[in-house]
Amino acid sequence: MTETKAVITLITGADKGIGFATAQALGKKGQQILVGARDQQRGEQAVARLKTAGVAATFIQLDVTDKAQIKAAVARIKVDYGYLSILINNAGIALGSHLPASQMSTDTMRQEFDVNFFGLVDVTQAMIPLLKAGQPAKIINVSSNMGSLGLASDPNSRFYKVSSLGYQATKASVDFATILLSKELVTEGITVNSVNPGWPATNFGGRPSDAPKPAGMQDVVTGAAQIVKMASLPLDDPQTGTFTENEGTLPW
């Protein structure tokens, strides 16, 4: 009788918001959750909350902009588990305050790129050997419809007048990474997909989630739903190189 291999899932930025909601939902489906977080206290508190909810969870110190921490995370996962089944690149920041593109500070944009794009690529590249060891495996990149060139250039889109050059450019770059990695890794048994979580009612949405009128347009469970759906499909599901949200497929 063949023993079923445990599904080991690493989620970056999993100590709060959509990352935490994703961790909780996937953990309740039986996945072993590795809570990637740069802040040790918040990460350990998140793990404690997950364990109380019956989720198998472990804290992994992981600032996606710190290559030494990324390398240490890879080493720890290799020793403790030997492989990785799913990588969910969720960590992200938005700092631009919707200033006009002509006024956006490139210093601010560099900070956004360091986390949202370069951090995602660094983590992904480092984790690929572990994903290959666990194949079939998945990479899910949390992107945004704000990075869609099609929606940004469509006068009929609600995103036509949005201006957040740094954040939007980082998410467009994430989607390009998704496309290229999906083509490269398809023969390795690793799928790569982008997901838009929408605008959740979290600190990321512009104000604390317990504020009287949260800035986001949906709760974090709804925001995490498509990520959870993609991560819950069989590991050998062939779907790759896609950009989806709760409502369906999005234009790149």
Side-chain angles (χ1 to χ4, degrees), residues 16 69-71 86 130 171 199 239:
K16 59 184 178 180
Q69 281 194 14
I70 295 172
K71 184 177 180 180
I86 303 173
L130 288 170
K171 292 305 184 178
W199 189 6
Q239 187 175 182

Side-chain angles (χ1 to χ4, degrees), residues 106-141:
T106 55
D107 290 338
T108 297
M109 288 190 276
R110 285 189 180 93
Q111 291 180 62
E112 292 174 311
F113 264 93
D114 280 344
V115 175
N116 298 355
F117 180 66
F118 294 118
L120 178 149
V121 173
D122 280 339
V123 170
T124 300
Q125 290 177 342
M127 296 295 167
I128 284 175
L130 288 170
L131 291 162
K132 287 182 178 179
Q135 64 177 291
K138 301 174 181 287
I139 298 170
I140 298 171
N141 294 326

Side-chain angles (χ1 to χ4, degrees), residues 33-181:
I33 304 300
L34 308 184
V35 175
R38 63 177 180 172
D39 185 279
Q40 182 174 352
Q41 183 177 6
R42 288 204 307 262
E44 290 177 345
Q45 288 173 346
V47 166
R49 290 169 59 197
L50 289 169
K51 287 183 176 179
T52 298
V55 171
T58 301
F59 168 63
I60 299 288
Q61 185 92 46
L62 187 54
D63 179 341
V64 301
T65 67
D66 187 328
K67 290 189 177 183
Q69 281 194 14
I70 295 172
K71 184 177 180 180
V74 170
R76 181 177 174 188
I77 296 169
K78 184 175 182 179
V79 169
D80 291 352
Y81 304 99
Y83 66 94
L84 193 61
S85 308
I86 303 173
L87 168 62
I88 300 177
N89 286 307
N90 166 75
I93 58 174
L95 306 175
S97 302
H98 296 275
L99 289 171
S102 62
Q103 300 174 27
M104 185 72 68
S105 164
T106 55
D107 290 338
T108 297
M109 288 190 276
R110 285 189 180 93
Q111 291 180 62
E112 292 174 311
F113 264 93
D114 280 344
V115 175
N116 298 355
F117 180 66
F118 294 118
L120 178 149
V121 173
D122 280 339
V123 170
T124 300
Q125 290 177 342
M127 296 295 167
I128 284 175
L130 288 170
L131 291 162
K132 287 182 178 179
Q135 64 177 291
K138 301 174 181 287
I139 298 170
I140 298 171
N141 294 326
V142 179
S143 185
S144 172
N145 47 13
M146 286 179 64
S148 167
L149 300 182
L151 293 176
S153 58
D154 180 359
N156 297 313
S157 167
R158 61 192 174 97
F159 297 100
Y160 186 71
K161 294 184 178 181
V162 172
S163 179
S164 188
L165 179 56
Y167 180 75
Q168 289 177 280
T170 65
K171 292 305 184 178
S173 298
V174 165
D175 289 341
F176 215 111
T178 295
I179 292 169
L180 294 183
L181 286 167

Side-chain angles (χ1 to χ4, degrees), residues 1-9 29-33 77-78 80-86 128-138 188-190 231 233-236:
M1 181 177 177
T2 303
E3 185 175 334
T4 302
K5 190 163 64 172
V7 176
I8 311 299
T9 302
K29 290 176 177 288
Q31 296 184 15
Q32 168 69 50
I33 304 300
I77 296 169
K78 184 175 182 179
D80 291 352
Y81 304 99
Y83 66 94
L84 193 61
S85 308
I86 303 173
I128 284 175
L130 288 170
L131 291 162
K132 287 182 178 179
Q135 64 177 291
K138 301 174 181 287
E188 301 285 352
I190 302 171
L233 293 172
L235 291 175
D236 60 356

